[in-house]
Amino acid sequence: MLRIECPCCGLRDHDEFRYGGDASVTRPAHDDPDPQAWYAYVYIRANPAGLHREFWQHVTGCRQWLVVERDTRNHAIASVELARKLAPRKSLARKSPA
């Protein structure tokens, strides 16, 4: 069984969490009209063997979004951090008017 150390609630079973997707993929800008960029974001994924960053939400606990770094070969969790404490990605930042 996968056990995740929630920064707010402590060690919990994975049944309390919901997988939220790949945390290493950068979302295109909201107003990006390029269909290839959106296609790549939605459908194209690597299948890494080794450390991988993933979003998980603690749905039956504190409801916080987490970034879990997990080894896909043995499911060992290397780190867990609150997603809100991560630096914002450049592609998600609003463009300043010129």
Side-chain angles (χ1 to χ4, degrees):
M1 174 176 290
L2 189 63
R3 298 190 38 99
I4 298 173
E5 181 83 33
C6 177
C8 301
C9 304
L11 192 61
R12 299 288 194 261
D13 290 342
H14 80 282
D15 294 342
E16 293 189 16
F17 297 84
R18 180 182 67 85
Y19 177 74
D22 187 346
S24 63
V25 176
T26 302
R27 182 183 187 275
H30 181 69
D31 58 352
D32 187 348
D34 180 17
Q36 287 300 95
W38 283 100
Y39 176 83
Y41 171 71
V42 173
Y43 296 109
I44 305 300
R45 293 286 187 263
N47 190 13
L51 288 178
H52 182 62
R53 293 171 55 87
E54 305 167 330
F55 286 115
W56 288 78
Q57 185 185 23
H58 195 179
V59 293
T60 64
C62 60
R63 304 202 48 85
Q64 294 295 311
W65 278 96
L66 309 172
V67 175
V68 176
E69 189 171 32
R70 181 179 64 88
D71 191 323
T72 59
R73 296 169 294 193
N74 58 15
H75 299 293
I77 295 177
S79 67
V80 179
E81 58 188 320
L82 292 171
R84 68 175 181 221
K85 292 193 176 186
L86 295 177
R89 296 185 207 150
K90 291 180 182 178
S91 67
L92 295 177
R94 289 184 168 217
K95 296 178 184 176
S96 60

